[in-house]
Amino acid sequence: MVENTPTPLIPNNEILPLIDLKGQRDEVSKLIVKACEDFGFFKLINHGVPMDVISSLEEASFDFFAKPSSEKERASLCSNPPYGYGCKNIGLNGDVGEVEYLILDAKPAAITTYPINLRDAVSSYVEAVRELACEILDLMAEGLGAQQTSVFSSFIRAVNSDSLLRLNHYPPLRDRDTSPSTGNAAAATASATSGADGVCNRIGFGEHTDPQILTILKSNGVGGLQISVQDGVWVPVSPHPTAFFVNVGDVLQAMTNGKFLSVRHRAMVNWQESRMSMAYFASPSLDSRISPLAHLVTPNSPRLYRSFTWAEYKKATYSGRLGDSRLNLFRIQPGDETAAKQ
């Protein structure tokens, strides 16, 4: 939903941890775990993904979104929901935003109808960030004291992993009939309330949590991302020239028995510049069963969520609104002894 009402913000004082992946492994592992417990979000530098791989996808994405709507829609004709091109409408339940997007299956064979420069860029990018996601998940497992460090990463290394890539393009608001003389009061208000970085109070992509295991996000250096550290309070996250933003998904919160936080976040529109974000969502296969790590369930930390498959959770995701708290649907209720033992 597009909103024009200001919401409480705290100054952008870089509360998010900046973690160097090339640091000492056990220290990096501890820092990642703490970041996931405190914020569910961190910035990662020296991640090993070549900058030319990142820039190639960014350029190919801008090229794609610059095409006429008819061409963008035609390229998506062979895609099955939720994959393909969309504009403003987010999902199937009435959510809208100031965004156009492209959702792609992370298996390169699934994007054969798209321009070759985009296909090649997606293939290289997905291969690199999938390996990065596995490395991050292994570090998380080590930091949590898991017996098998691949306990999380094995889900996305599976051949039938349901991982996807989402490209979000937020055109500058001033390019969309923004003259006050045309009667576009909302645009005029957004201009008047934009900050020095051009970010205004128009919602590009509404508040939500990510349903998958892990998200690896890269943006083009234009501000707009915000996270909610507490209900109703939003923290702007400044862009970084080389870092990836990494955040915990709902599935990982369930697998850590609530130890890690799947944080609510949103994207705001920039008045002056186009913003491009490229998000890799690391997901299990549809038939994967999600349960908490056994050693994280103790008398002092009782089990919070019942077991579910990714297919069940994905169905719940797409049947609800963007801002719904989906994990609450799977939360164990008092007296539900059967679910607590699954």
Side-chain angles (χ1 to χ4, degrees), residues 30-46:
K30 292 176 184 177
L31 289 172
I32 288 177
V33 167
K34 181 169 176 52
C36 293
E37 292 174 341
D38 293 349
F39 302 104
F41 223 111
F42 59 92
K43 296 181 180 182
L44 189 70
I45 59 173
N46 290 323

Side-chain angles (χ1 to χ4, degrees), residues 286-309:
L286 291 174
D287 59 356
S288 293
R289 183 156 292 278
I290 308 304
S291 299
L293 301 187
H295 75 284
L296 297 181
V297 179
T298 68
N300 292 328
S301 298
R303 184 166 178 166
L304 297 179
Y305 307 101
R306 63 179 175 84
S307 294
F308 53 87
T309 65

Side-chain angles (χ1 to χ4, degrees), residues 54-96:
I54 297 171
S55 60
S56 291
L57 180 57
E58 185 179 303
E59 291 171 8
S61 299
F62 273 119
D63 286 347
F64 177 82
F65 288 117
K67 295 180 183 298
S69 296
S70 58
E71 288 189 36
K72 290 180 282 194
E73 292 167 356
R74 188 163 56 247
S76 300
L77 288 178
C78 295
S79 300
N80 295 318
Y83 305 112
Y85 172 77
C87 185
K88 291 187 178 293
N89 295 315
I90 302 171
L92 305 174
N93 300 293
D95 290 299
V96 296

